[in-house]
Amino acid sequence: MAAPMTHRKISDYNSYVMKVFIALFLYFAVILLIYQSTSGSEFRRALQIFHFIVFVQVILTVLSRYLWNQLTKPTQQHSSSSPVQNHKKYPDAQQQVTAPIALLTWRILVFTFLVLAQISLGIGRLLPAQTTPYTIVYISYSCLGVYAILLGVLLPIELTGFMLIKLGLSTKVPLIKGFKLFAVVTVTIALTIHGLYKASDGPVVMRVQIPVHKLPESFHGTKVVQLSDIHLGPTVGRRQMEQVVAKVNELRPDLVVITGDLVEASVDALAALVEPLQNVKSKYGSYFSTGNHEYHAGNVDAWFSHLEYLGVHCLHNKHVQIKHKTDPSDWFYLAGTDDWHAYMIGGDHGFDLDKTMSGTDADHAVILMAHQPYAAKAALDSKYDFSLILSGHTHGGQFFPMNIFIYLMNPFYAGLYHVSEHAYVYVSSGTWYYGPPIRILSTPEITLITLLAH
């Protein structure tokens, strides 16, 4: 009877998943029709956020059912064992009472964990951090990170077990069945503890020297600090921003650039969190270009105004000349583009190299701030001559198993790329993190770039 029951359950689950994805397809079709028929940037932004949260909730619901079955049913399998086996497992009445209580406790823990992961995105938007993140938000986002790690550990084991069954070897490797739950939970907990500690430890200073084609000799040795992907909002608060500013000032930079994804919410919600940026000290000032999350946050123009008020110059498809303090005839261009996906909110926002480079000449070095690696790739493929492109966005994968997908999805992943004889791309792994406060196989960084006259 066991085999037919298993096949029926698999069939029921497949039918459930199919119904969910058909409903999701119809939902996205309706959303697309509404999106195409509207023009208001704020409405479009709200619609994007709404359907992103709905999409994530549907995926999490499907995966939560899978995880629930995997994490709670291995303990149930013992109930169908023979009387002799049950006698060995429960030699006295005390153990017969203890086992169901332990199983119930375990189920409550798993259920709580799944619910916290499920609500993390919603509660994070309702309760952005202040001086520090709210405890419930921090815990729920941590659960979301554990959720992803758990899937990353469990799915390869499941795939291995499936392959062994197909090869007829499953009975020869009893450990995979008998100790799968223990192994999965142990590895997940170990990775999570490591990831939480590494993220909470804060950004390290990553030092790199980069030759810049056409850079005047007088700028040789100029120190540029790059910040990227700070993500002030649900799990990154003012205290972490103050920590970054203190480290930046210790480096005594000549120039500071912030390559997008600074904030996760509106100016009204996060004004106090970005305030420490006004204390950054540098010879040539601080400059900012947008990332995709600025457009999720809402009213990017309000953020431009507020950052300018704090002394941070915003490069909205724009360039400036950085002139040497003692010899103003020596200078280079610093340019910044809107995010690669900025066009989605409409208005005058969108990745526009022609607008950014309008009025420049070909005789001077150009350092471009372009948040996404795809924007960096587009810039390299354009008619313009960029000596150095500074990007972020990838977080160096942030944590396992996301590292794998982010590496495959982007033309540049992390670190320095010498893409041609006279051009370099540097991709920051991010100054803090997005969402789950976890770092595995990636390091949060404040990048100290020393420019070399080429």
Side-chain angles (χ1 to χ4, degrees):
M1 293 295 292
M5 180 66 72
T6 300
H7 287 308
R8 183 166 64 81
K9 287 182 177 179
I10 291 173
S11 176
D12 289 347
Y13 185 72
N14 289 340
S15 175
Y16 164 76
V17 172
M18 182 61 68
K19 290 175 182 177
V20 167
F21 278 98
I22 289 173
L24 197 61
F25 174 80
L26 294 174
Y27 164 79
F28 271 107
V30 172
I31 288 292
L32 184 61
L33 287 173
I34 296 173
Y35 184 85
Q36 293 296 332
S37 63
T38 59
S39 57
S41 61
E42 282 304 298
F43 179 78
R44 282 190 165 196
R45 180 192 67 84
L47 194 63
Q48 289 170 25
I49 292 171
F50 174 75
H51 83 69
F52 171 75
I53 290 176
V54 168
F55 175 76
V56 171
Q57 292 304 315
V58 170
I59 297 300
L60 287 178
T61 299
V62 173
L63 292 175
S64 291
R65 181 167 174 174
Y66 167 75
L67 287 176
W68 174 261
N69 290 338
Q70 292 297 318
L71 294 174
T72 60
K73 287 194 174 181
T75 56
Q76 292 176 304
Q77 290 172 354
H78 300 308
S79 62
S80 62
S81 55
S82 68
V84 175
Q85 289 174 318
N86 282 331
H87 177 71
K88 290 179 181 178
K89 286 187 176 294
Y90 309 115
D92 54 49
Q94 177 69 32
Q95 285 180 306
Q96 289 180 345
V97 173
T98 303
I101 293 174
L103 176 58
L104 177 61
T105 303
W106 173 246
R107 284 180 169 178
I108 291 172
L109 286 173
V110 172
F111 179 79
T112 304
F113 155 69
L114 293 174
V115 169
L116 286 170
Q118 191 98 20
I119 68 172
S120 58
L121 292 177
I123 200 169
R125 293 199 70 83
L126 291 174
L127 297 173
Q130 298 304 311
T131 303
T132 57
Y134 287 94
T135 302
I136 183 63
V137 176
Y138 188 88
I139 292 173
S140 65
Y141 267 100
S142 296
C143 287
L144 183 62
V146 175
Y147 191 105
I149 296 168
L150 186 59
L151 286 170
V153 174
L154 181 60
L155 290 176
I157 293 176
E158 284 287 288
L159 181 61
T160 301
F162 176 78
M163 294 301 295
L164 288 172
I165 290 172
K166 288 297 182 181
L167 294 171
L169 300 174
S170 59
T171 56
K172 299 179 183 178
V173 193
L175 288 178
I176 288 179
K177 182 177 181 180
F179 294 100
K180 182 179 75 173
L181 178 60
F182 174 78
V184 167
V185 172
T186 301
V187 172
T188 299
I189 290 173
L191 288 173
T192 300
I193 292 172
H194 166 73
L196 287 168
Y197 174 78
K198 191 169 185 180
S200 66
D201 207 28
V204 303
V205 176
M206 192 71 69
R207 301 172 188 269
V208 59
Q209 296 183 336
I210 305 178
V212 178
H213 184 53
K214 295 185 280 191
L215 185 73
E217 282 290 338
S218 58
F219 280 104
H220 183 82
T222 294
K223 294 191 295 183
V224 178
V225 164
Q226 180 189 5
L227 305 176
S228 190
D229 300 276
I230 295 174
H231 291 284
L232 291 167
T235 54
V236 180
R238 180 182 173 117
R239 185 173 296 169
Q240 287 152 299
M241 188 73 254
E242 290 172 344
Q243 183 180 341
V244 168
V245 169
K247 283 192 174 185
V248 169
N249 287 338
E250 287 174 6
L251 297 173
R252 302 173 66 87
D254 297 306
L255 178 66
V256 176
V257 297
I258 306 170
T259 50
D261 282 6
L262 172 64
V263 294
E264 289 291 319
S266 67
V267 175
D268 291 339
L270 302 181
L273 277 64
V274 300
E275 205 171 63
L277 280 175
Q278 67 186 339
N279 299 322
V280 172
K281 297 177 175 63
S282 65
K283 185 186 296 185
Y284 298 108
S286 300
Y287 292 84
F288 169 80
S289 64
T290 57
N292 52 311
H293 284 255
E294 272 73 44
Y295 294 96
H296 301 163
N299 202 339
V300 181
D301 294 319
W303 270 116
F304 286 161
S305 298
H306 189 67
L307 289 173
E308 291 283 353
Y309 169 75
L310 296 175
V312 179
H313 308 295
C314 299
L315 299 181
H316 169 34
N317 287 325
K318 181 181 174 183
H319 68 268
V320 294
Q321 295 178 4
I322 304 297
K323 295 185 177 181
H324 197 273
K325 288 292 185 182
T326 58
D327 188 358
S329 63
D330 284 350
W331 51 273
F332 65 89
Y333 293 112
L334 178 66
T337 66
D338 289 352
D339 180 67
W340 183 245
H341 290 139
Y343 70 91
M344 295 180 71
I345 72 159
D348 67 340
H349 292 272
F351 179 77
D352 191 337
L353 285 175
D354 291 333
K355 184 178 179 181
T356 303
M357 298 300 290
S358 177
T360 61
D361 60 53
D363 299 324
H364 291 83
V366 181
I367 297 176
L368 177 69
M369 300 161 59
H371 176 68
Q372 295 198 38
Y374 272 107
K377 181 68 165 58
L380 291 169
D381 293 339
S382 72
K383 63 184 178 181
Y384 300 105
D385 182 16
F386 296 104
S387 302
L388 172 61
I389 302 176
L390 302 176
S391 295
H393 186 63
T394 68
H395 299 211
Q398 188 161 324
F399 62 90
F400 174 82
M402 302 307 298
N403 318 68
I404 300 167
F405 303 111
I406 293 172
Y407 177 82
L408 295 173
M409 289 168 59
N410 288 277
F412 306 109
Y413 177 64
L416 184 64
Y417 296 83
H418 190 181
V419 292
S420 69
E421 184 180 358
H422 299 306
Y424 289 82
V425 172
Y426 188 85
V427 182
S428 168
S429 289
T431 305
W432 278 106
Y433 42 75
Y434 169 58
I438 295 174
R439 284 277 190 169
I440 300 171
L441 299 177
S442 69
T443 302
E445 67 178 73
I446 293 171
T447 316
L448 177 60
I449 301 169
T450 302
L451 305 182
L452 307 178
H454 185 55

